[in-house]
Amino acid sequence: MRSQRERSVLWYEQPAGSWFEALPAGNGRLGAMVFGGTCRERIALNEDTLWSGEPRDTVREDAHLHLDPARKLIFEGRHAEAEEIIQQYMQGPDIESYLPLGDLELQSDKEGEITDYRRELILDEAVVRTQYRTDGALQTRELFVSAADQVLALRIESEQPLNLTISLGSPLQYAVRRTGSSGMALSGRCPVRVLPNTVRSDEPARYEEGRGIAFEAALHVTAEKGRIESSGGRIRVVSGRGVTLLLAAATSYDGFDRDPAAASLAGRPRALCAERLREAAGLGYSRLKERHLREHAEKYGRVDLELGGSAADSGADADALPTDARIRAAAQGADDPGLAALFFQYGRYLLLSSSRPGTQPANLQGIWNDKLQPPWCSSWTANINVQMNYWPAEAANLAECHEPLLRFVDDLRESGRRAASVHYRCRGWTAHHNIDLWRTATPVGGSPSWAFWPMAGAWLCEHLWEHYAFSRDEKYLARVYPVLKEAAQFGLDWLVEGPDGFLVTCPSTSPENHFLTADGSQGCVTYASTMDIALLRNLFGRCMEASRQLQKDTAFRVLLEQTLRRMPPYRIGRHGQLQEWAEDFGEAEPGHRHTAHLAALHPLEEITPEGEPELAEACRKALKRRLAHGGAHTGWSCAWMISLWARLCEPETAHRFLDELLAGLHPNLTNAHRHPKVKMDIFQIDGSLAGTAGILEMLLQSHRGTVRLLPALPEELAGGAGPGAAGPWRIRDRHGMEGRQAHPCSADLPGGPAVPSVSGGACRDYSG
């Protein structure tokens, strides 16, 4: 049986030629993409609060005046007219963009013959290592980003003297200055406005003096058996055998509602960088690495998964192949269960590297972005994508990584209250499809099919509940209950009586999709989309359960119960499918990438095969219809398919989509998002993290008070070995305790070599 270390390494035989081949490192706040070049090394840098813009009020004071006219048109079936009103009078400005910090570059004077090259990311250490020989002399570079000490550390060792030129640069406006005899710092200020990547412009970024986020990246260099020279904004190491670089970065961001250009914040980036570098330099590289390894191992090491690693089609051990070769082989149909296990742990690594307590949540690209106009602003896209990022957080035993999103939801409640009140004259709080650093809660410009969707609050609240479901921490529940209640209050006020007497949402969209009306025209705005109803049913149910657990708000709980009885049921359409809209419309794009109406099946618990078999069958038919017309053609959509089919207990179909996801990955094992309307390769982290969650769904499900072990395990993944000799495998609770007494949903299952080895997973606690 291969060791954990052998199963936790991405490795390559050549430097990265593009962003999609570079290897990511991060501590939740500071990110790096390591290219592993020989004569020239590029390390692309990010900081999670480096965004364009500043606090601003995006509400439209007159939006509420157009709500009732739009509803009237919708109920009359005049969808196009309603959409025109909504887009013209009820939507607002675009959000801001997440920006790259810049590049740390190392240039070597010597260009000799390169042999024995290996570049690797060691997941259980969170270390990126590049090693090769130049004219026979060994050189090793080792990089990590420390969460314990908040610095990036790079160590270079060589058997022959090194002559290096080190520089810092940025695509933003910046200046570089010398800091002492062995350091330099890059400082600048972010644009006050960056146009979305969908807008073509010769000047996509607008800077204004004295406005926007200020930033700094500071570097400290030490060299053994050599000297350091500094001039012209660069550092030169001459004849060094061992070189250590420490880098810190910070911005003037101090909250979504504070002006980052305020005089009181002017010195913040420089002071933070200086403090972090001083403390890190005092520890030294060996101590920094020791502290980093210990901190990372405590979290990453909680879960182990082995699914087997033999590539049956090639007759070779797949672990002996470089990672990019394994992906190419998977694309050609090779059977490589070990790649699925590596991908699973890589997803946990990516979440741990991009979302830590006190940081911003993982955005569309985690924390790794090199573009001034990143795809879709690299925002928090709340109609599916940011939720997918956190599907594995609890079950994959990384509950701490959930904290940034939970705190984000609490922040969003503040701006969301004004959006609810001014836009819609509703109580509580709401949010829409696109959210940026400034917690923009209003609908942005663009087609209402995606821009007008006031259900983000209801969906994000499910994450607050999930954290409680796994922890059973009633103090936490009491703290977040007001957030849940206010989101439910918005839902209550947003519902209106529809044509058939039910309480419905209106206007309503099914994210990014269009339907066909009776005359054959396309529409996107109607009433009571299935996703809306599922989200509100789920939210109301969570609030009712919280009310019971906390023994409070009885009257509110009764109101929710009464409202649920007046909401429309789930409906089955002409094809036997779960309807996507209240009316059984035809689909403008039957193979659409979104399956929003199936959120009731996953990730929610509104429909289960055991509880609602007829509706579960309708979900199955809806999925088959999507796929028959070319659905699941994007990475994140394919990842969602794994979980949907796992919920339906169809292991072979779930495995088919896992195979498709693995076959379409970028060489660095990240999710490749290929949008049909965007002619470019894109990295989105949602497919990576949702793919990890999908593997978990195949192995363990816990919902509606029932724990299911191996509910969708395909034969192809049943070849893992148990710990040590063949024997039982165990699912342990998030604290590593076994048995029913320790955790009511823990379980042992006889198995041995016919089932995978899983240890350290987590499931909901149903002790109540």
CSV table of all heavy atoms in Angstrom, one decimal, residues 613-641:
chain,number,residue,atom,x,y,z
A,613,PRO,N,-40.3,9.6,-3.2
A,613,PRO,CA,-39.8,8.8,-4.3
A,613,PRO,C,-40.3,9.3,-5.7
A,613,PRO,O,-39.6,9.3,-6.6
A,613,PRO,CB,-40.3,7.4,-4.0
A,613,PRO,CG,-41.4,7.5,-3.0
A,613,PRO,CD,-41.1,8.8,-2.2
A,614,GLU,N,-41.6,9.8,-5.7
A,614,GLU,CA,-42.1,10.3,-7.0
A,614,GLU,C,-41.4,11.5,-7.4
A,614,GLU,O,-41.0,11.7,-8.6
A,614,GLU,CB,-43.6,10.5,-6.9
A,614,GLU,CG,-44.3,10.9,-8.2
A,614,GLU,CD,-45.8,11.1,-8.1
A,614,GLU,OE1,-46.3,11.1,-6.9
A,614,GLU,OE2,-46.4,11.3,-9.1
A,615,LEU,N,-41.1,12.4,-6.5
A,615,LEU,CA,-40.4,13.6,-6.8
A,615,LEU,C,-38.9,13.3,-7.1
A,615,LEU,O,-38.3,14.0,-8.0
A,615,LEU,CB,-40.5,14.7,-5.7
A,615,LEU,CG,-41.9,15.3,-5.5
A,615,LEU,CD1,-41.9,16.2,-4.3
A,615,LEU,CD2,-42.3,16.1,-6.7
A,616,ALA,N,-38.3,12.4,-6.4
A,616,ALA,CA,-37.0,12.0,-6.7
A,616,ALA,C,-36.9,11.4,-8.1
A,616,ALA,O,-35.9,11.7,-8.9
A,616,ALA,CB,-36.5,11.0,-5.7
A,617,GLU,N,-37.8,10.7,-8.6
A,617,GLU,CA,-37.9,10.1,-9.9
A,617,GLU,C,-38.0,11.3,-10.9
A,617,GLU,O,-37.4,11.3,-12.0
A,617,GLU,CB,-39.0,9.1,-10.1
A,617,GLU,CG,-39.1,8.5,-11.5
A,617,GLU,CD,-37.9,7.8,-11.9
A,617,GLU,OE1,-37.1,7.3,-11.0
A,617,GLU,OE2,-37.6,7.7,-13.1
A,618,ALA,N,-38.8,12.3,-10.6
A,618,ALA,CA,-38.9,13.5,-11.4
A,618,ALA,C,-37.6,14.2,-11.5
A,618,ALA,O,-37.2,14.8,-12.6
A,618,ALA,CB,-40.0,14.4,-10.9
A,619,CYS,N,-36.8,14.3,-10.5
A,619,CYS,CA,-35.5,14.8,-10.5
A,619,CYS,C,-34.6,14.0,-11.4
A,619,CYS,O,-33.8,14.6,-12.2
A,619,CYS,CB,-34.9,14.9,-9.1
A,619,CYS,SG,-35.6,16.0,-8.0
A,620,ARG,N,-34.7,12.7,-11.4
A,620,ARG,CA,-33.9,11.9,-12.2
A,620,ARG,C,-34.2,12.1,-13.7
A,620,ARG,O,-33.3,12.2,-14.5
A,620,ARG,CB,-34.1,10.4,-11.9
A,620,ARG,CG,-33.3,9.4,-12.7
A,620,ARG,CD,-33.6,8.0,-12.3
A,620,ARG,NE,-32.9,7.6,-11.1
A,620,ARG,CZ,-33.5,7.5,-9.9
A,620,ARG,NH1,-34.9,7.7,-9.8
A,620,ARG,NH2,-32.9,7.2,-8.8
A,621,LYS,N,-35.5,12.3,-14.0
A,621,LYS,CA,-35.9,12.5,-15.4
A,621,LYS,C,-35.4,13.9,-15.8
A,621,LYS,O,-35.0,14.1,-17.0
A,621,LYS,CB,-37.4,12.3,-15.5
A,621,LYS,CG,-37.8,10.9,-15.4
A,621,LYS,CD,-39.3,10.7,-15.6
A,621,LYS,CE,-39.6,9.2,-15.6
A,621,LYS,NZ,-41.1,9.0,-15.7
A,622,ALA,N,-35.5,14.9,-14.9
A,622,ALA,CA,-35.0,16.2,-15.3
A,622,ALA,C,-33.5,16.2,-15.6
A,622,ALA,O,-33.0,16.8,-16.5
A,622,ALA,CB,-35.3,17.2,-14.1
A,623,LEU,N,-32.7,15.5,-14.8
A,623,LEU,CA,-31.3,15.3,-15.0
A,623,LEU,C,-31.0,14.7,-16.4
A,623,LEU,O,-30.2,15.1,-17.2
A,623,LEU,CB,-30.6,14.5,-13.9
A,623,LEU,CG,-30.3,15.2,-12.6
A,623,LEU,CD1,-29.9,14.2,-11.6
A,623,LEU,CD2,-29.2,16.3,-12.9
A,624,LYS,N,-31.7,13.6,-16.7
A,624,LYS,CA,-31.5,12.9,-17.9
A,624,LYS,C,-31.9,13.7,-19.1
A,624,LYS,O,-31.2,13.7,-20.2
A,624,LYS,CB,-32.4,11.6,-17.9
A,624,LYS,CG,-31.8,10.5,-17.0
A,624,LYS,CD,-32.7,9.2,-17.1
A,624,LYS,CE,-32.0,8.1,-16.2
A,624,LYS,NZ,-32.8,6.8,-16.3
A,625,ARG,N,-32.9,14.5,-19.0
A,625,ARG,CA,-33.3,15.4,-20.1
A,625,ARG,C,-32.2,16.5,-20.3
A,625,ARG,O,-31.8,16.8,-21.4
A,625,ARG,CB,-34.6,16.1,-19.7
A,625,ARG,CG,-35.1,17.1,-20.8
A,625,ARG,CD,-36.5,17.5,-20.6
A,625,ARG,NE,-36.9,18.6,-21.5
A,625,ARG,CZ,-37.2,18.4,-22.8
A,625,ARG,NH1,-37.2,17.2,-23.3
A,625,ARG,NH2,-37.5,19.4,-23.5
A,626,ARG,N,-31.6,17.1,-19.2
A,626,ARG,CA,-30.5,18.0,-19.3
A,626,ARG,C,-29.4,17.4,-20.1
A,626,ARG,O,-28.8,17.9,-21.0
A,626,ARG,CB,-30.0,18.4,-17.9
A,626,ARG,CG,-30.8,19.6,-17.3
A,626,ARG,CD,-30.4,20.9,-17.9
A,626,ARG,NE,-30.7,22.0,-17.0
A,626,ARG,CZ,-31.9,22.6,-17.0
A,626,ARG,NH1,-32.9,22.2,-17.7
A,626,ARG,NH2,-32.1,23.6,-16.1
A,627,LEU,N,-29.0,16.2,-19.6
A,627,LEU,CA,-27.8,15.5,-20.2
A,627,LEU,C,-28.1,15.1,-21.6
A,627,LEU,O,-27.1,15.1,-22.5
A,627,LEU,CB,-27.5,14.3,-19.3
A,627,LEU,CG,-27.1,14.6,-17.9
A,627,LEU,CD1,-26.8,13.4,-17.1
A,627,LEU,CD2,-25.9,15.6,-17.9
A,628,ALA,N,-29.3,14.7,-22.0
A,628,ALA,CA,-29.6,14.3,-23.4
A,628,ALA,C,-29.4,15.5,-24.3
A,628,ALA,O,-29.2,15.3,-25.5
A,628,ALA,CB,-31.0,13.8,-23.4
A,629,HIS,N,-29.4,16.7,-23.8
A,629,HIS,CA,-29.3,17.9,-24.6
A,629,HIS,C,-27.9,18.6,-24.4
A,629,HIS,O,-27.8,19.8,-24.7
A,629,HIS,CB,-30.4,18.8,-24.4
A,629,HIS,CG,-31.8,18.3,-24.9
A,629,HIS,ND1,-32.6,17.5,-24.1
A,629,HIS,CD2,-32.4,18.5,-26.1
A,629,HIS,CE1,-33.7,17.2,-24.8
A,629,HIS,NE2,-33.6,17.8,-26.0
A,630,GLY,N,-27.0,17.8,-23.9
A,630,GLY,CA,-25.6,18.4,-23.8
A,630,GLY,C,-25.3,19.1,-22.5
A,630,GLY,O,-24.4,19.9,-22.5
A,631,GLY,N,-26.1,18.9,-21.4
A,631,GLY,CA,-25.8,19.6,-20.2
A,631,GLY,C,-24.5,19.2,-19.5
A,631,GLY,O,-23.8,18.3,-20.0
A,632,ALA,N,-24.2,19.8,-18.4
A,632,ALA,CA,-23.0,19.6,-17.6
A,632,ALA,C,-21.8,19.8,-18.4
A,632,ALA,O,-20.8,19.1,-18.2
A,632,ALA,CB,-23.1,18.2,-17.0
A,633,HIS,N,-21.8,20.9,-19.2
A,633,HIS,CA,-20.6,21.1,-20.1
A,633,HIS,C,-19.6,22.0,-19.4
A,633,HIS,O,-18.6,22.4,-20.1
A,633,HIS,CB,-21.1,21.6,-21.4
A,633,HIS,CG,-22.0,22.8,-21.3
A,633,HIS,ND1,-23.4,22.6,-21.6
A,633,HIS,CD2,-21.9,24.1,-21.0
A,633,HIS,CE1,-24.0,23.8,-21.4
A,633,HIS,NE2,-23.1,24.7,-21.0
A,634,THR,N,-19.8,22.5,-18.2
A,634,THR,CA,-18.8,23.3,-17.5
A,634,THR,C,-18.3,22.5,-16.3
A,634,THR,O,-19.0,21.6,-15.8
A,634,THR,CB,-19.4,24.7,-17.1
A,634,THR,OG1,-20.4,24.4,-16.1
A,634,THR,CG2,-20.0,25.4,-18.2
A,635,GLY,N,-17.1,22.9,-15.8
A,635,GLY,CA,-16.5,22.2,-14.7
A,635,GLY,C,-17.4,22.1,-13.5
A,635,GLY,O,-17.6,21.0,-12.9
A,636,TRP,N,-17.9,23.3,-13.1
A,636,TRP,CA,-18.7,23.3,-11.8
A,636,TRP,C,-20.0,22.6,-12.0
A,636,TRP,O,-20.5,21.9,-11.1
A,636,TRP,CB,-18.9,24.7,-11.3
A,636,TRP,CG,-19.7,25.6,-12.3
A,636,TRP,CD1,-19.3,26.5,-13.1
A,636,TRP,CD2,-21.1,25.6,-12.3
A,636,TRP,NE1,-20.3,27.1,-13.8
A,636,TRP,CE2,-21.5,26.6,-13.3
A,636,TRP,CE3,-22.2,24.9,-11.7
A,636,TRP,CZ2,-22.8,26.8,-13.7
A,636,TRP,CZ3,-23.5,25.2,-12.1
A,636,TRP,CH2,-23.8,26.2,-13.0
A,637,SER,N,-20.6,22.6,-13.2
A,637,SER,CA,-21.8,22.0,-13.5
A,637,SER,C,-21.6,20.4,-13.4
A,637,SER,O,-22.4,19.7,-12.9
A,637,SER,CB,-22.4,22.4,-14.8
A,637,SER,OG,-23.6,21.7,-15.1
A,638,CYS,N,-20.5,20.0,-14.0
A,638,CYS,CA,-20.2,18.6,-14.0
A,638,CYS,C,-19.9,18.1,-12.5
A,638,CYS,O,-20.4,17.0,-12.1
A,638,CYS,CB,-18.9,18.4,-14.8
A,638,CYS,SG,-18.4,16.6,-15.0
A,639,ALA,N,-19.3,19.0,-11.7
A,639,ALA,CA,-19.1,18.6,-10.3
A,639,ALA,C,-20.4,18.5,-9.6
A,639,ALA,O,-20.5,17.6,-8.7
A,639,ALA,CB,-18.2,19.7,-9.7
A,640,TRP,N,-21.3,19.4,-9.8
A,640,TRP,CA,-22.6,19.3,-9.2
A,640,TRP,C,-23.3,18.0,-9.5
A,640,TRP,O,-24.0,17.3,-8.7
A,640,TRP,CB,-23.5,20.5,-9.5
A,640,TRP,CG,-24.7,20.7,-8.7
A,640,TRP,CD1,-25.1,20.0,-7.6
A,640,TRP,CD2,-25.7,21.7,-8.8
A,640,TRP,NE1,-26.3,20.5,-7.1
A,640,TRP,CE2,-26.6,21.6,-7.8
A,640,TRP,CE3,-25.8,22.8,-9.7
A,640,TRP,CZ2,-27.7,22.4,-7.7
A,640,TRP,CZ3,-26.9,23.6,-9.6
A,640,TRP,CH2,-27.9,23.4,-8.6
A,641,MET,N,-23.1,17.5,-10.8
A,641,MET,CA,-23.8,16.3,-11.2
A,641,MET,C,-23.4,15.1,-10.3
A,641,MET,O,-24.1,14.2,-10.1
A,641,MET,CB,-23.4,16.0,-12.7
A,641,MET,CG,-24.1,16.9,-13.7
A,641,MET,SD,-25.9,16.4,-13.8
A,641,MET,CE,-26.5,17.8,-14.8
